Amino acid sequence: MKTVITYGTFDVLHAGHINLLRRARALGDRLIVALSTDAFNTGKHKSALLSYDNRKSVIESIRYVDMVIPETCWEQKVTDVQLHGVDIFVIGDDWQGHFDFLKDLCEVVYLPRTMGISSTEIRQDMRQNEALARLES
Ligand code: C2G
């Protein structure tokens, strides 16, 4: 039983997230997602549109995901890997090199991001559409 773990906010789910989760799950037999809590997002200077509970419900429903745990701090990765018997840590290559310290405990894999889509861009598009709609009304 090879266990894979990945971390993220996963706000406003899109194909980039799904591509990451599908490839991560394909590396092992079960995938754990450590989902950033609302408080941790604040610490990451990231505001999610959807609450933790909302994002958790969405991520849990994805066929590639076997378990969702909260990500409350940067430091929990070592204990998560040990506690859950993780064999492979996976994250997008926008984090290339940031988590190499985990190589003493498990395999560390940085997967190429899906280009041309991000939650930030989606939120910006939504805001622009809302502004246009107000101008036209
Ligand atoms: N991702 C991707 N392609 C995109 C957008 C995101 O592959 N177009 C990947 C990211 O690289 C990350 C995952 O999807 O591996 C989740 O992305 P975010 O929710 O933006 O995660 P992030 O805020 O980077 O949180 O401790 C680690 C952090 O919690 C990572």
Side-chain angles (χ1 to χ4, degrees):
M1 165 71 80
K2 189 174 280 191
T3 298
V4 183
I5 197 167
T6 191
Y7 291 73
T9 296
F10 294 98
D11 187 28
V12 188
L13 203 69
H14 54 69
H17 296 137
I18 298 299
N19 289 341
L20 187 285
L21 295 171
R22 184 183 62 252
R23 287 174 294 165
R25 175 63 180 75
L27 294 173
D29 304 297
R30 71 170 184 150
L31 173 62
I32 301 170
V33 175
L35 189 64
S36 307
T37 59
D38 297 332
F40 184 55
N41 275 333
T42 304
K44 291 198 287 187
H45 308 297
K46 195 163 194 172
S47 63
L49 270 182
L50 303 175
S51 68
Y52 175 79
D53 289 343
N54 200 319
R55 290 180 285 117
K56 183 170 184 285
S57 300
V58 171
I59 296 295
E60 279 176 338
S61 70
I62 296 171
R63 71 175 74 165
Y64 307 119
V65 178
D66 299 282
M67 181 197 295
V68 177
I69 62 173
E71 179 186 29
T72 60
C73 64
W74 292 108
E75 295 77 18
Q76 70 183 75
K77 294 182 174 68
V78 170
T79 48
D80 287 347
V81 168
Q82 292 166 333
L83 186 66
H84 295 285
V86 170
D87 301 286
I88 309 174
F89 167 90
V90 174
I91 201 160
D93 62 3
D94 44 320
W95 291 94
Q96 186 71 43
H98 281 74
F99 304 112
D100 288 354
F101 63 89
L102 290 171
K103 285 182 176 176
D104 298 338
L105 298 169
C106 63
E107 197 180 333
V108 175
V109 175
Y110 299 101
L111 293 174
R113 272 173 73 91
T114 301
M115 301 313 290
I117 191 162
S118 73
S119 301
T120 307
E121 286 169 38
I122 292 170
R123 278 204 300 271
Q124 283 167 350
D125 290 352
M126 284 163 67
R127 287 198 188 103
Q128 282 168 359
N129 294 342
E130 281 167 10
L132 282 172
R134 277 197 296 273
L135 284 174
E136 289 163 358
S137 63

